[in-house]
Amino acid sequence: MGGTVLVVEDDMDLIGIYKEILELHAFDVETAMNGEEGVQKFIEHKPSLVIMDGDMPILDGYQAFKQIKSIDANANVVIVTGFSEFEPKSQEAIKEGLIKVISKPLGVDELLALAKKYTEIKIE
């Protein structure tokens, strides 16, 4: 069994695709439709990885990322965006602990590689 992945995305079709792919590979998946809901789901489920759209209503991915990091400094968050990873707000978020900014579309292989990498059970 994999770990829990939280997908925060305002496009229902993309949520469905990500969820189906991840569940086929034994990951537990929680979903949220905006950044505010994403922060609440993060608090409730404490996922191993958050995959979040950068541009959403109510609270965008960058604002939600900052709130999640203030709740858990070790949170693993990836932002998927239609903009360049070299945008100033993307670079600022990376300095603040964002794992990665991925330009859309997020491919299946990259989605699974991220999920596997950040949901491994770490034995200390």
Side-chain angles (χ1 to χ4, degrees), residues 2-103:
T4 300
V5 178
L6 171 60
V7 176
V8 187
E9 170 64 65
D10 61 339
D11 181 327
M12 279 301 295
D13 292 334
L14 278 178
I15 282 182
I17 291 166
Y18 294 167
K19 185 173 171 65
E20 185 175 340
I21 290 166
L22 291 166
E23 286 179 344
L24 278 171
H25 290 84
F27 293 97
D28 293 326
V29 181
E30 292 296 328
T31 61
M33 293 288 294
N34 62 61
E36 186 176 79
E37 186 183 351
V39 172
Q40 285 306 312
K41 292 271 181 109
F42 181 84
I43 292 167
E44 291 169 27
H45 300 282
K46 299 183 179 36
S48 302
L49 175 66
V50 180
I51 298 173
M52 188 161 15
D53 186 6
D55 185 30
M56 293 179 292
I58 302 176
L59 196 64
D60 77 18
Y62 295 93
Q63 295 165 320
F65 158 73
K66 286 181 180 184
Q67 288 189 20
I68 287 170
K69 280 304 236 186
S70 72
I71 295 161
D72 180 354
N74 297 314
N76 296 312
V77 182
V78 172
I79 289 183
V80 183
T81 180
F83 300 103
S84 166
E85 65 185 277
F86 300 108
E87 288 234 334
K89 68 180 176 181
S90 294
Q91 290 301 301
E92 181 184 329
I94 288 169
K95 288 177 188 164
E96 294 172 357
L98 183 71
I99 293 169
K100 193 171 190 177
V101 175
I102 300 169
S103 295

Side-chain angles (χ1 to χ4, degrees), residues 100-120:
K100 193 171 190 177
V101 175
I102 300 169
S103 295
K104 285 186 177 181
L106 173 59
V108 173
D109 291 341
E110 190 165 18
L111 173 65
L112 290 173
L114 285 165
K116 287 175 184 168
K117 180 174 182 178
Y118 291 102
T119 59
E120 290 175 338

